């Protein structure tokens, strides 16, 4: 079919970009859904998509998880709204280059903004290719003390609804009493992408000095990078550059209320060191414009202080 072949060759090459699908099945306590009407809270959901856009420069090829006859897989995780027993997924299909993240929220004690994970008891049976797709998404050397890459099916995020969140796209609307939802969402997605969690992350923390010594991070920071005492974040207050300005890294343990901290050069270097192919740092300008009309201005309470961005 010459014409078909010509069309194919004329088409632009596919632009690989990490897709993150948010699933609201377990948003049972009204964080992303108006429970009275069943309508989605579109401003909050749009901010999740904006958070995911900070990872669209990751160009890894991830195998699809498509269960065929004889294939089975499952994973369990906390209910993302803490509104029921734990969740077990069975034989869910996930497209290539795509992660699925189940989200929800509920009120809890103040001080914690949210938490995220990839679940427990990940199991797969069936063809070798299917099992590989579930366990590694086709990435190589993802486990053990010498791991150099990472992949996941997706994960879950719970948000603490007791916070006076700022649900705006424009950082100019932030007030001192409010944690920034966009910052927390982007941070929690980072944990699902393996930050502070992946074997390939842990493999690069020097046993002697306790510093993170991945090649890209060494270059971005100018030396070994301090991490928190659990090895799950950069150390509190670690600085790097974003848009030509120094700021606190996004993947340190906390963000002060009233501040926005999106990924810095060092944050992206950390992801590159754990095996993500970080091709560029996308700027979601169009999304910002789109969201400007949807932004809600949070109430202007005047609590102050630094609060942990999550439980880890
Ligand atoms: Zn964290």
């Amino acid at each position: 079919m010459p014409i078909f072949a010509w069309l194919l060759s004329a088409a632009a090459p596919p632009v690989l970009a990490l897709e993150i699908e948010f699933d609201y099945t377990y948003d049972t306590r009204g964080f992303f859904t108006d429970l009275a009407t069943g309508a989605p809270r579109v401003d909050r959901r749009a901010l999740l998509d904006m958070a995911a856009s900070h990872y669209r420069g990751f160009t890894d090829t991830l195998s699809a998880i498509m269960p065929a006859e004889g294939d089975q897989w499952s994973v369990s995780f906390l209910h993302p709204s803490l509104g029921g027993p734990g969740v077990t997924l069975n034989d869910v299909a996930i497209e290539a280059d795509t992660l699925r993240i189940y989200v929800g929220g509920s009120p809890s004690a103040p001080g914690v903004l949210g938490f995220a994970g990839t679940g427990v008891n990940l199991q797969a049976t069936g063809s070798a290719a299917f099992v590989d797709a579930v366990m590694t998404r086709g990435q190589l050397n993802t486990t053990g003390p010498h791991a150099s890459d990472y992949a996941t099916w997706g994960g879950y995020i719970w948000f603490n609804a007791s916070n006076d969140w700022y649900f705006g796209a424009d950082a100019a609307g932030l007030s001192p009493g409010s944690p920034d939802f966009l910052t927390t969402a982007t941070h929690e997605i980072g944990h699902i992408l393996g930050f502070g969690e992946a074997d390939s992350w842990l493999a690069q923390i020097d046993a002697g000095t306790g510093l993170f010594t991945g090649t890209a991070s060494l270059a971005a920071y100018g030396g070994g990078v301090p991490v928190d005492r659990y090895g799950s974040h950069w150390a509190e207050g670690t600085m790097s550059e974003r848009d030509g300005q120094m700021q606190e890294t996004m993947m340190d343990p906390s963000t002060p209320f009233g501040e926005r901290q999106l990924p810095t050069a060092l944050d992206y270097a950390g992801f590159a060191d754990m095996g993500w192919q970080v091709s560029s740092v996308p700027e979601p300008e169009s999304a910002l414009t789109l969201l400007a009309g949807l932004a809600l201005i949070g109430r202007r309470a005047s609590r102050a202080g630094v609060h942990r961005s999550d439980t880890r």
Side-chain angles (χ1 to χ4, degrees):
M1 297 276 285
I3 291 178
F4 185 59
W6 179 83
L7 284 172
L8 276 182
S9 64
V15 178
L16 290 173
L18 180 64
E19 288 285 340
I20 297 179
E21 297 175 348
F22 294 100
D23 189 298
Y24 300 94
T25 302
Y26 304 105
D27 178 44
T28 53
R29 299 184 67 183
F31 198 77
F32 293 103
T33 308
D34 184 329
L35 292 182
T37 64
R41 295 184 185 271
V42 293
D43 58 321
R44 300 182 184 191
R45 296 187 184 198
L47 287 167
L48 277 186
D49 291 332
M50 184 184 282
S53 76
H54 293 110
Y55 302 103
R56 286 187 59 81
F58 291 14
T59 58
D60 301 64
T61 299
L62 303 182
S63 302
I65 300 175
M66 290 292 157
E69 185 80 29
D71 294 332
Q72 295 183 309
W73 80 282
S74 62
V75 67
S76 298
F77 49 87
L78 288 172
H79 193 293
S81 300
L82 304 181
V87 172
T88 297
L89 298 181
N90 287 295
D91 304 333
V92 167
I94 299 174
E95 301 281 347
D97 307 330
T98 300
L99 305 185
R100 173 86 46 80
I101 299 180
Y102 293 82
V103 291
S106 58
S108 185
V112 175
L113 299 182
F115 60 72
T118 57
V120 296
N121 296 329
L122 178 65
Q123 297 178 9
T125 57
S127 72
F130 176 76
V131 171
D132 181 67
V134 171
M135 305 308 284
T136 74
R137 308 298 303 273
Q139 306 293 290
L140 301 176
N141 192 27
T142 57
T143 59
H146 304 291
S148 58
D149 208 342
Y150 172 80
T152 181
W153 63 275
Y156 69 97
I157 308 175
W158 167 83
F159 294 97
N160 185 354
S162 295
N163 290 289
D164 183 21
W165 291 102
Y166 174 62
F167 290 112
D170 185 350
L174 271 161
S175 61
S178 292
D180 182 36
F181 179 74
L182 178 64
T183 296
T184 298
T186 310
H187 177 108
E188 298 302 340
I189 294 168
H191 283 310
I192 291 171
L193 294 174
F195 200 103
E197 305 286 328
D199 284 2
S200 59
W201 162 270
L202 298 171
Q204 297 178 85
I205 297 177
D206 184 272
T209 63
L211 300 174
F212 187 85
T213 57
T215 306
S217 299
L218 285 172
Y221 192 69
V225 187
V227 295
D228 74 2
R229 62 175 157 152
Y230 307 108
S232 58
H233 298 93
W234 303 130
E236 182 64 54
T238 300
M239 303 290 286
S240 183
E241 174 265 338
R242 177 181 172 85
D243 295 338
Q245 301 210 329
M246 294 300 287
Q247 66 159 60
E248 202 175 332
T249 48
M250 181 186 72
M251 293 310 297
D252 83 340
S254 78
T255 299
F257 280 23
E259 290 190 22
R260 174 160 293 176
Q261 294 176 348
L262 296 177
T264 64
L266 180 58
D267 293 309
Y268 281 121
F271 288 108
D273 284 331
M274 76 182 79
W276 289 104
Q277 293 166 34
V278 181
S279 67
S280 64
V281 180
E283 280 303 313
E285 299 282 354
S286 58
L288 274 170
T289 306
L290 175 71
L291 275 162
L294 294 170
L296 293 181
I297 305 301
R299 287 181 294 114
R300 305 297 176 101
S302 58
R303 283 173 278 132
V306 176
H307 297 255
R308 292 180 59 79
S309 63
D310 62 17
T311 59
R312 297 183 304 209

